[in-house]
Amino acid sequence: MLRMLAGLPVLGRVWLYSLLVGAYSGLAVWKEHSPLRDRWDQPAQIHEVFGLILGLFLVFWTNRAYERWWEARTLWGQLVNTSRNQAVKLKNLLKLPASDLRQCESILIGFPYALKAHLREGCELKQVPGFADSADNPDHVPIYLVSLLYDRFRKWHQMELITGDELRILDLEATQLLEICGACERIRNTLIANSYRRFIQQLVILHLIALPWGLAQEFGDATVVIVTIAAYFMIGVTVIAHAIEEPFGRDEDDLDLNQLCDKIEGGVREIFARQMPLNSQSS
Amino acid sequence: MLRMLAGLPVLGRVWLYSLLVGAYSGLAVWKEHSPLRDRWDQPAQIHEVFGLILGLFLVFWTNRAYERWWEARTLWGQLVNTSRNQAVKLKNLLKLPASDLRQCESILIGFPYALKAHLREGCELKQVPGFADSADNPDHVPIYLVSLLYDRFRKWHQMELITGDELRILDLEATQLLEICGACERIRNTLIANSYRRFIQQLVILHLIALPWGLAQEFGDATVVIVTIAAYFMIGVTVIAHAIEEPFGRDEDDLDLNQLCDKIEGGVREIFARQMPLNSQSS
Amino acid sequence: MLRMLAGLPVLGRVWLYSLLVGAYSGLAVWKEHSPLRDRWDQPAQIHEVFGLILGLFLVFWTNRAYERWWEARTLWGQLVNTSRNQAVKLKNLLKLPASDLRQCESILIGFPYALKAHLREGCELKQVPGFADSADNPDHVPIYLVSLLYDRFRKWHQMELITGDELRILDLEATQLLEICGACERIRNTLIANSYRRFIQQLVILHLIALPWGLAQEFGDATVVIVTIAAYFMIGVTVIAHAIEEPFGRDEDDLDLNQLCDKIEGGVREIFARQMPLNSQSS
Amino acid sequence: MLRMLAGLPVLGRVWLYSLLVGAYSGLAVWKEHSPLRDRWDQPAQIHEVFGLILGLFLVFWTNRAYERWWEARTLWGQLVNTSRNQAVKLKNLLKLPASDLRQCESILIGFPYALKAHLREGCELKQVPGFADSADNPDHVPIYLVSLLYDRFRKWHQMELITGDELRILDLEATQLLEICGACERIRNTLIANSYRRFIQQLVILHLIALPWGLAQEFGDATVVIVTIAAYFMIGVTVIAHAIEEPFGRDEDDLDLNQLCDKIEGGVREIFARQMPLNSQSS
Amino acid sequence: MLRMLAGLPVLGRVWLYSLLVGAYSGLAVWKEHSPLRDRWDQPAQIHEVFGLILGLFLVFWTNRAYERWWEARTLWGQLVNTSRNQAVKLKNLLKLPASDLRQCESILIGFPYALKAHLREGCELKQVPGFADSADNPDHVPIYLVSLLYDRFRKWHQMELITGDELRILDLEATQLLEICGACERIRNTLIANSYRRFIQQLVILHLIALPWGLAQEFGDATVVIVTIAAYFMIGVTVIAHAIEEPFGRDEDDLDLNQLCDKIEGGVREIFARQMPLNSQSS
């Protein structure tokens, strides 16, 4: 249990803010011991109702923030699947020149790295593994890589290395690359509707400002403890929801994009490296 | 924190309404200081239960309004993907005459502008970038642009510039253009069921009318503050939900369609402009 | 605000029922002024808890009813898209005889009218626009229209007017017509599980029967007002949810199927009427 | 209103259990009139909070049970669509020998009957309409019927009665038959996670055991009525959720599989029976 | 009812923890009987509000954990469908050499066993039924099996045993194998956002630490019982949600992967074993 209480870095700031709110609530307690004690008293009840309704809206925000986070995770999981399937088909279903296979391997491995950089600080083609000595400098690297892939497809189709049906099989996966890219951009660029976030934050602040004056009369010195815990709860939910809303950063709750890139690279490399064990088995 | 309280324009009106409700609640406070003080008193409790249940329904409305908003955003994100994929395939997968490519570029770039105007005040073909000197004046511009695209496909197919398989690859994305258009029209034309909205608004008003008389006895002068905050909360949720329900307008919470149009234009232009860097790399 | 209170017809009945419940609550108030005043008193608290849990279940029902309504709307929006896409492809992608195009136009325009009548009071083929002088009298008109369409496809394919790939492009949209029809039938024929609806209605009635006796002692004459409002709330939610569950009728909250049929007709007519402006532009 | 109170058979048992709990609560009331009256008293408040949180979890269970039920209904609705579409394509899109069409009609009509029996008590091929004199006795009848269908497809393809494109059009629907079958098996075989169900049931029982002792002091004789109603509510939700979780049985809330089978049979028969009215109309 | 209370193993630990918390609450009760009785008292009310909001978040967690569990179940259900459909098509739609059919049977049957081991402790190819004497030792066995399958497809296509259209029909199902594998890996590797879980656990612990001191004054000795039940409830929800989040293990709530593997094996074997009963029936 102690380990559970130890908390995470992201929750450290929250404790700080909560203690500040707790200190502020000391004002309301002090008032109860001062000549002003009989003024401005309110029943605690109304704060409870307000707190509950606020809780409903915090759950609303939490749900929506979590859905975005999980959708982002699903998109990257889809990228893992797409890369593997595309690699299996290029290697095992088709009969392509070794040099072309190497290029496709570079594109499939480079794409997640390019997407990761694109979603964070922007991507230069030269930074993508396998493209360090490329002469091009495209604005949008993921689109560039997909263009390379389709250019390959056209060449093979023209040279009759692949049939129209095989082209369509390849197209199914290749199309998903830009769909995943666009969906990740959507999540990065559009937070939950601004008014809601601002509005909920306002209400949390108003609630924390008003709460001590409602509790002080009944709860006395315990007010400080209770307000601190309530502040920890409310600020904590707000801060976590805010952090979760942006899943592509480097915070502790963000997706582990580095590991996912490694995973895709490992899978694709293994597929391209394998020397058809089948030939011996099946012939 | 002050910055957070500053609020947004859309919340400005809300404060105004809330202060009016607060002023009205002064009546109930005044009654407590008048000879009528012992009449019409009610326990505060029942108002709290009513407030909680109302809170549940406000969360219901909020969720539904947000879902519409996010669906609209997803549709435009899908338009970004579709435009890019269609452009990549036209440019890199196929071998088409330069003049046809230019026409397709105009159509793909013009479509989001046409859709934006169509969803707002209605669209004239002449206002769409790239179609200023067109002789046609169709009623439904997005359908017209898609018709142009399919007319192109037919010509290529007849001239055997594209095979049947390539036609089907192009068709997959082109079909989505009208699906996105139709889904956006659905969101614009159909608000959340009218009865629910009217009903929830009625209940909010009834609640705010009754609330001060229930609180005045117990809370005294603080009633004005509490009712104002409660009114801000309830009216705020209603107003934001109403604004979010119509995501294609020009309010601050509406989707930034201009930026999305620019993004699509940038992506499509870059794809069509690139001079196949591959040819040197692969040959 | 007055306008908002004015309400909708569907809410008129609700006020009536609520006033009846309010009048009944007068019994409990009268008891408090009678010799029986000290009997059967209960604390109000337990009614509040019961009211809250009932509120949770009313929200459950509301959510599910709304989801059905929105799914129905989405299906008809899908029908708009499918009709337009099918029309664009028939007109612009393919080269078909004018008489066949006219027949397809009739089928695509007639389908939504047939579906509307099929979902309401049942559909006769003769009532469908464009089929007034048809000799057939099928049981299930939407299936009949789709059969006509596929019969067309077969003829074209046999006459080699369309290739296999083009057949598959047409099939993608034509398949959706019966999927939309079947999904609308599902929504019309299957209400939310009967036990839930009956159970929630029972609980609302039990709650409204018990409520006045719990409030009368504490609230006195205000009981009548409070019970009336609570009844308005609970009966209103029930009535609206019930109305929303059946979205294909002619109530004010039901989908505006007439307008949707007109919209499909307008779009399809415009597509078929346009005299390829392209030919001049592209040749 | 009386009609609404009359209830459904499934709710009959619930009243029985509730009255037993109500009788048990008489113990707590009796204690208040006995020398033990001042012992074991608890404030009612804590029971209310517990009741509310329990209500939240009952809503969770209700939502999940309902989702399963609606998914099952959607799957069967999908089966209606798939059967109709497959029938239309076999009859109107293709030119197949009459004997083969009759066999396909038997398969499409038999499939829902086989699936219904398979999901209930297990299915013998001989019991499926149209297969009474079949010599085979497969373990899994729905798989067997789909195998028959694909065997037909292969024969036609080999005999060049259908092209590759037409094979793919048929495959799209035929694939869905086993997908629907598998999804129904999933719903039948996997209830909501066992721990949750057991846990919620435990909590309902604990709550009902503890409730009377908390209410008796304040509510006196009314305790029996209140506990009975609370028990009716809680046990009712549990029982309905449990019944809804298994939608393929023969309870009143279960899906009306017989009617759905009839509907599919009617639609398929009508499609296969129609003598192409088109030929006269179009030629 | 006794049977329902008996509980499940996973709930055994929960009772243990709850009794520890109950024992701890004895401290607060003892304080009330000690000279310190008038210190640190708090109204119980605030704990109730806190408990309710905590309940909202526990429901949030429960919903999300359950969704993951059900998604995992759906993925394995999809694997059942895919395996059956692939088997039916290989056996009945195509005309393939018996030795190749046997190899495909091994792959389809081995895949779920490989996936099960891969999701648990890691998979060695030698452990997969049917591959015990394979010479290969791939890192990622499911990818390896899919590669084998696609290698087969290529051979058949080159030998013109299957047409391009038939290749595409096979590809549709084969692609899903790696999609299912990747989606299961996503669920196994990514728990619900870490901050939320840690945060909710912290709040449960804080709540249980503070609760007894708030109840002791009003509830006296009953505090111990009430705190124990509350602890059972809160810890129970936490423990179950945690167990449900990881659906591929061997706990009692985890998916019964062994049974699913058996089911797939049975279905696939039956399909491959059947000696076309059709030939007699249809010729």
Side-chain angles (χ1 to χ4, degrees), chain E residues 98-140:
Chain E
S99 69
D100 283 14
L101 281 183
R102 269 199 304 280
Q103 284 181 3
C104 290
E105 191 181 353
S106 297
I107 294 171
L108 288 178
I109 290 173
F111 190 83
Y113 290 102
L115 183 56
K116 181 183 69 173
H118 178 69
L119 291 172
R120 286 177 172 172
E121 66 282 330
C123 178
E124 297 268 319
L125 181 58
K126 292 200 195 322
Q127 297 163 344
V128 178
F131 292 85
D133 50 356
S134 169
D136 271 316
N137 188 15
D139 280 350
H140 195 299

Side-chain angles (χ1 to χ4, degrees), chain D residues 43 49 53 64 136 139 147-148 150-152 154 157 168 171 175 182 185-186 189-190 195 202-203, chain E residues 48 63 67 70 73 81 84-85 89 92-93 166 168 219 232-233 253 263 270 276-278 282:
Chain D
V49 173
I53 298 184
R64 294 311 182 184
D136 270 317
D139 281 350
S147 303
L148 287 188
Y150 273 100
D151 210 59
R152 228 86 314 260
R154 189 199 48 189
H157 198 202
R168 298 210 54 216
D171 174 59
T175 296
E185 289 177 14
R186 163 169 56 81
N189 292 341
T190 313
S195 297
Q202 279 184 0
L203 292 172
Chain E
E48 292 159 12
N63 266 306
E67 275 170 19
W70 186 244
R73 180 63 187 83
N81 301 345
R84 288 178 182 168
N85 263 326
K89 290 173 190 177
N92 294 321
L93 183 62
E166 288 165 341
R168 298 210 54 215
F219 289 76
Y232 180 67
F233 180 82
D253 275 320
K263 192 167 176 178
E270 189 187 341
M276 298 288 99
L278 271 193
S282 68

Side-chain angles (χ1 to χ4, degrees), chain E residues 80-197:
Chain E
V80 173
N81 301 345
T82 298
S83 305
R84 288 178 182 168
N85 263 326
Q86 186 75 291
V88 166
K89 290 173 190 177
L90 288 169
K91 184 74 193 320
N92 294 321
L93 183 62
L94 306 173
K95 197 102 193 166
L96 298 168
S99 69
D100 283 14
L101 281 183
R102 269 199 304 280
Q103 284 181 3
C104 290
E105 191 181 353
S106 297
I107 294 171
L108 288 178
I109 290 173
F111 190 83
Y113 290 102
L115 183 56
K116 181 183 69 173
H118 178 69
L119 291 172
R120 286 177 172 172
E121 66 282 330
C123 178
E124 297 268 319
L125 181 58
K126 292 200 195 322
Q127 297 163 344
V128 178
F131 292 85
D133 50 356
S134 169
D136 271 316
N137 188 15
D139 280 350
H140 195 299
V141 179
I143 291 181
Y144 176 84
L145 293 176
V146 173
S147 303
L148 287 188
L149 205 60
Y150 273 99
D151 211 60
R152 227 87 314 261
F153 293 172
R154 190 199 48 190
K155 205 188 73 173
W156 300 334
H157 198 202
Q158 282 177 346
M159 295 168 65
E160 299 194 349
L161 285 169
I162 58 174
T163 65
D165 285 307
E166 288 165 341
L167 175 63
R168 298 210 54 215
I169 289 174
L170 292 178
D171 174 59
L172 285 183
E173 257 96 32
T175 296
Q176 284 181 16
L177 294 177
L178 280 187
E179 304 240 333
I180 292 166
C181 170
C184 288
E185 290 178 13
R186 163 168 56 82
I187 291 176
R188 188 199 53 185
N189 292 340
T190 312
L191 295 181
I192 286 167
N194 214 18
S195 297
Y196 277 123
R197 292 163 57 240

Side-chain angles (χ1 to χ4, degrees), chain A residues 243-257:
Chain A
I244 294 280
E245 271 189 299
E246 294 172 311
F248 298 121
R250 289 193 180 85
D251 291 342
E252 65 198 298
D253 275 320
D254 292 337
L255 301 175
D256 191 351
L257 298 187

Side-chain angles (χ1 to χ4, degrees), chain A residues 195-196 199, chain B residues 9-15 17 58 61-62 65 201 204 231-246 251-253, chain C residues 4:
Chain A
S195 297
Y196 277 124
F199 187 64
Chain B
V10 78
L11 297 178
R13 289 185 285 151
V14 179
W15 275 119
Y17 293 142
L58 288 172
W61 192 7
T62 298
Q201 286 171 339
V204 166
Y232 181 66
F233 181 81
M234 294 211 158
I235 298 177
V237 171
T238 316
V239 166
I240 296 179
H242 198 73
I244 294 280
E245 270 189 301
E246 294 173 310
D251 292 341
E252 64 198 300
D253 275 321
Chain C
M4 285 178 178

